[in-house]
Amino acid sequence: SQYADYLLKNHSEEIIDGSLKYLVVHIPLVENKLPHHVEKYQSWVADYAQKYGVSEDLIFAIMEVESGFNSKAVSKSNALGLMQLKAESAGRDVYELIDGKDGQPNRAELFDAQNNIRMGTAYLSLLKREYLQGVRNAKNKEMISISSYNGGITKTLKLFGKTPDVAILRVNQLHPKQVYRTLRYQHQSNETRLYLDKVLKAKSRYRDLLGLNV
């Protein structure tokens, strides 16, 4: 009501049309401006999301949870950059399976913001399309991918079976709520258990922010 009073006082005018009198109220519109960190990386995220078949909201969510959008972040386990990649694991996988190169990325490559987003998105694609390709339910696949990004694919799949094949067969028998409970409460790493919730909540927020649910 206070805003209505403000508009009537500061953004209204009377218009007379013959014997009729109109009160016209102008409502100033403000551009829906995205946060700086989203604008800064949005074009790269959009490009690599399309190239590797990973959703933009998931990429932004992982960047937020992993590094708080600090492109020079270094973890205790020596994960580097925006999406906190380890050169000898995720970095090596992307080098070999996506880029077709031997070896692993160096620190300069992982501290480069654009390349870090590319490699992090490519690794999410590997989790989804290669390591978890047998998982039929999209929600199950996404949740296991998120937990695996933080806690490792091997440890995560062992929650469901002794071997990857057995684990995937088991996952395909479970409802997403059952998969969520297993990841959230049974993973041996407390960090990974909490990580799943943090990423899912951030992903929902970025989905709304980017208008991806429209």
Side-chain angles (χ1 to χ4, degrees):
S1 63
Q2 289 179 335
Y3 184 54
D5 291 341
Y6 166 81
L7 290 175
L8 288 170
K9 181 178 180 180
N10 297 282
H11 294 279
S12 64
E13 61 178 322
E14 286 189 350
I15 296 178
I16 298 176
D17 183 6
S19 61
L20 299 176
K21 181 186 294 185
Y22 300 92
L23 178 65
V24 179
V25 178
H26 302 278
I27 302 177
L29 300 179
V30 179
E31 182 182 358
N32 184 20
K33 192 172 180 63
L34 292 171
H36 173 70
H37 63 265
V38 176
E39 284 193 330
K40 183 176 181 179
Y41 300 120
Q42 188 175 23
S43 63
W44 293 338
V45 168
D47 287 346
Y48 296 129
Q50 182 176 16
K51 180 176 182 178
Y52 295 115
V54 178
S55 65
E56 294 177 45
D57 50 356
L58 178 58
I59 299 169
F60 274 116
I62 286 182
M63 279 198 283
E64 177 182 302
V65 175
E66 288 284 354
S67 70
F69 296 99
N70 177 5
S71 63
K72 302 302 180 184
V74 180
S75 75
K76 294 179 181 178
S77 61
N78 205 36
L80 308 178
L82 285 168
M83 298 186 74
Q84 290 289 276
L85 297 170
K86 294 182 182 180
E88 68 279 8
S89 52
R92 184 183 294 276
D93 285 356
V94 172
Y95 246 43
E96 294 180 357
L97 301 175
I98 300 292
D99 298 341
K101 300 191 295 187
D102 294 328
Q104 63 188 46
N106 58 40
R107 291 175 70 88
E109 289 177 284
L110 293 179
F111 281 137
D112 178 85
Q114 182 176 1
N115 190 57
N116 191 285
I117 293 172
R118 182 190 73 83
M119 296 191 77
T121 305
Y123 184 64
L124 286 169
S125 178
L126 282 176
L127 289 170
K128 176 182 175 182
R129 298 173 182 273
E130 296 292 331
Y131 307 140
L132 300 171
Q133 61 177 316
V135 177
R136 294 193 295 266
N137 184 283
K139 289 184 178 180
N140 287 345
K141 183 177 289 190
E142 179 175 84
M143 289 188 291
I144 296 172
S145 295
I146 291 169
S147 292
S148 297
Y149 192 94
N150 177 265
I153 183 69
T154 302
K155 291 180 180 178
T156 301
L157 283 179
K158 280 186 177 179
L159 295 170
F160 302 97
K162 292 183 179 180
T163 69
D165 290 341
V166 171
I168 288 173
L169 286 173
R170 176 58 179 156
V171 168
N172 286 333
Q173 298 171 349
L174 299 176
H175 188 275
K177 289 183 179 178
Q178 293 173 296
V179 171
Y180 169 80
R181 285 195 294 269
T182 300
L183 296 170
R184 179 63 180 83
Y185 299 108
Q186 296 181 27
H187 200 288
Q188 62 181 289
S189 167
N190 183 59
E191 178 185 330
T192 301
R193 293 197 298 269
L194 297 175
Y195 181 86
L196 177 63
D197 271 355
K198 289 178 182 178
V199 172
L200 289 175
K201 288 176 182 177
K203 181 177 182 291
S204 178
R205 191 170 67 254
Y206 283 107
R207 183 176 64 244
D208 292 339
L209 191 64
L210 297 167
L212 299 178
N213 56 343
V214 177

